[in-house]
Amino acid sequence: MTDATPGGVDLLSCLDRLQLRFDSAAPLVATDAHDDPAVLEWSCRAVLPLWDPDDDEAAAENSRLLTPGVSLADKNEGDGRELTILAMSGITLDLWHIGRIYDSLDSRDADYEHFAPLFNKSGDLGLHPDLEECLVNGAHVVIIDRARIAPAWRGLGGVGRLLISRLLRWVAGRAAIVATHPYPIDIPIDERDDEAREAREKAPVQRCWQSLGFEPFREDVWVMQPHLRAHEDAVKRLEATFSPYL
């Protein structure tokens, strides 16, 4: 397991310094399909604060953590800088109150069209009949649109999966299901007609989500039921793996 940046900082030793940031918004009143009060748009990040150091050694480590690839973005926050290690975004649908599910999806980014197979008007509350049993756990459907981790943190034994699981504790607390579309988003749009490359790079992305308890449903949409043992056991294994650093 490689755990150091090119500059020599042990990234895993920074795990216990990471913090989670959340931002979400939903309109109060519906004006069109995009502004449905039953749809919450959210984004969340795992960040590493670099507060003003007290000694030269800490200052040197901060400097090395600014190596390219360690952060997706950095910005000033309070008295220091904040590095974004992982970013995830999506929407949450409240099936008890949403009026037009398909219109709400179509009015957003084209990526959300992938999730139409989750819903079927013949099913209870608009959810596909094959997923209806999930409604005993709640009426929220969480859709993960994007999840991205900084390159230097990849290949460390599952740091990205650990961070996603911690973020999902808050994002998917009342969810009947969580859905995602595992896809290698680093492939440029104008190169996505290369089917061999797409299949090659899609496989490890799918294995990542599968290891968190996600299973294929329909048309490249994968789903996970947060209350099931598959997800719970996966999270416990990750936490055991990284327990020396947490």
Side-chain angles (χ1 to χ4, degrees):
M1 181 185 296
T2 301
D3 57 6
T5 71
V9 176
D10 181 350
L11 293 180
L12 293 182
S13 69
C14 300
L15 268 183
D16 62 350
R17 294 165 52 191
L18 298 188
Q19 298 180 7
L20 307 181
R21 299 270 194 271
F22 299 87
D23 187 29
S24 59
L28 181 63
V29 179
T31 57
D32 54 32
H34 184 77
D35 292 329
D36 191 324
V39 180
L40 178 76
E41 295 186 344
W42 53 262
S43 62
C44 46
R45 299 178 296 131
V47 303
L48 175 61
L50 300 181
W51 307 117
D52 287 340
D54 297 327
D55 54 59
D56 293 340
E57 182 177 348
E61 179 176 283
N62 279 0
S63 179
R64 291 194 294 271
L65 282 168
L66 296 174
T67 301
V70 174
S71 174
L72 295 174
D74 68 271
K75 65 176 183 177
N76 292 327
E77 186 72 22
D79 296 328
R81 301 177 76 170
E82 183 176 272
L83 307 183
T84 297
I85 306 309
L86 182 140
M88 188 166 73
S89 60
I91 59 175
T92 298
L93 310 180
D94 181 354
L95 298 183
W96 281 114
H97 298 98
I98 194 167
R100 297 173 295 172
I101 295 175
Y102 295 114
D103 290 343
S104 292
L105 294 176
D106 289 343
S107 69
R108 288 173 165 77
D109 188 285
D111 290 348
Y112 287 109
E113 295 176 6
H114 292 297
F115 298 96
L118 294 171
F119 307 100
N120 187 313
K121 292 182 179 179
S122 66
D124 192 17
L125 296 182
L127 197 61
H128 191 284
D130 289 348
L131 298 172
E132 282 185 350
E133 63 180 25
C134 302
L135 293 173
V136 300
N137 305 294
H140 287 181
V141 173
V142 173
I143 294 176
I144 301 172
D145 178 33
R146 297 289 179 94
R148 183 178 175 84
I149 188 171
W153 293 80
R154 302 172 188 174
L156 300 186
V159 170
R161 288 175 287 147
L162 176 70
L163 295 177
I164 288 172
S165 70
R166 290 294 180 89
L167 292 169
L168 285 177
R169 284 183 181 177
W170 300 102
V171 173
R174 296 178 56 194
I177 60 170
V178 182
T180 191
H181 174 225
Y183 191 86
I185 59 177
D186 287 338
I187 298 179
I189 295 178
D190 58 355
E191 298 179 19
R192 293 183 181 180
D193 57 352
D194 185 340
E195 295 182 1
R197 177 184 178 184
E198 181 183 68
R200 184 173 62 253
E201 298 190 24
K202 184 187 292 186
V205 178
Q206 291 177 333
R207 287 196 298 269
C208 173
W209 290 101
Q210 187 174 34
S211 71
L212 283 173
F214 284 78
E215 298 179 342
F217 178 61
R218 282 174 174 76
E219 301 177 30
D220 279 343
V221 174
W222 289 50
V223 299
M224 181 269 286
Q225 298 181 51
H227 69 285
L228 292 185
R229 289 294 299 273
H231 179 66
E232 182 181 343
D233 290 348
V235 174
K236 287 180 178 178
R237 288 193 295 270
L238 284 167
E239 291 178 339
T241 299
F242 291 102
S243 60
Y245 306 99
L246 298 175

